[in-house]
Amino acid sequence: MRAIAVVGGVIPFAELKDFNGLLPLYRHMLAFYRNRPRLLRPLFFLARPFLSFRAPIRLRPLLLKMLLLRQCDTASLRDDAAFEAIFESQRRAWRGSVEGVLVDARIYVEPWGFAIEDVRVPVRLWHGIEDRAFAVRLAEAIANRFPNCKARFIQDEGHYSLPIRHMREILEDLISI
């Protein structure tokens, strides 16, 4: 591995002392995982039919409202191509299997098995200051722990708008390492 890019990401939840910087949905799922881990799989199976289908275009505004997004994210996701790019990958994951989604969730909640401070390759961290999924203070905390990290905190960008509006810059930054 020559370099790492972290775009709108956060430290492993297992290392978090305070969950207030997480989207409420993530806080609830984390509580389920910690207190009733056996319920998570059945809940994911119940959610699968709803999360694996393409919502009609007329329901998109309602979906965006339910996600409690910042204005910058909502504005970015009004673009049909951006909306499809973001949500099609999620639909495919849910269509594939619940097991795959559970493995992905475990990556967030379980310790990674190495110290972030031991990462020696260059790290490029990009984070929107308006990100509601992972508060900017969480991204600042991880940026400070990577020994070779160049962090960019972008004003007026959120969890979805950052990669939608800045993908070219992010890729150019990563390629330049």
Side-chain angles (χ1 to χ4, degrees):
M1 184 179 316
R2 292 184 13 205
I4 296 170
V6 179
V7 180
V10 71
I11 63 175
F13 293 172
E15 296 184 26
L16 290 176
K17 309 281 188 266
D18 165 9
F19 305 127
N20 289 327
L22 300 176
L23 192 66
L25 174 64
Y26 296 158
R27 289 197 306 262
H28 296 305
M29 290 186 60
L30 187 56
F32 259 106
Y33 182 80
R34 289 191 169 167
N35 300 320
R36 294 195 165 72
R38 291 181 182 203
L39 283 180
L40 205 52
R41 177 176 271 108
L43 285 175
F44 275 28
F45 272 102
L46 289 172
R48 184 177 182 216
F50 301 102
L51 298 173
S52 64
F53 84 96
R54 176 178 282 149
I57 291 174
R58 68 182 182 276
L59 293 181
R60 284 184 185 172
L62 177 63
L63 176 62
L64 293 175
K65 195 174 277 193
M66 287 173 39
L67 291 173
L68 305 172
L69 301 174
R70 300 272 192 218
Q71 178 58 35
C72 54
D73 286 327
T74 302
S76 292
L77 290 170
R78 282 191 191 117
D79 176 81
D80 288 337
F83 186 95
E84 283 304 314
I86 295 294
F87 290 102
E88 180 59 21
S89 65
Q90 292 179 15
R91 286 191 296 264
R92 286 182 185 207
W94 283 99
R95 263 188 245 130
S97 79
V98 168
E99 297 306 317
V101 177
L102 282 168
V103 167
D104 191 49
R106 280 189 206 105
I107 291 169
Y108 281 98
V109 298
E110 293 179 0
W112 286 354
F114 62 90
I116 292 169
E117 293 80 4
D118 292 339
V119 173
R120 296 291 171 233
V121 298
V123 175
R124 296 298 188 261
L125 185 140
W126 290 72
H127 203 87
I129 291 175
E130 300 297 318
D131 192 321
R132 284 201 66 196
F134 308 121
V136 70
R137 68 179 173 78
L138 299 175
E140 290 168 341
I142 193 172
N144 291 330
R145 290 180 57 194
F146 282 117
N148 188 9
C149 181
K150 184 175 180 182
R152 290 184 175 87
F153 300 99
I154 310 299
Q155 191 72 40
D156 300 323
E157 298 297 359
H159 192 68
Y160 297 106
S161 65
L162 175 70
I164 291 169
R165 295 178 182 169
H166 296 274
M167 186 53 66
R168 180 177 296 269
E169 293 168 74
I170 293 166
L171 292 174
E172 287 172 355
D173 183 37
L174 191 58
I175 290 168
S176 72
I177 297 175

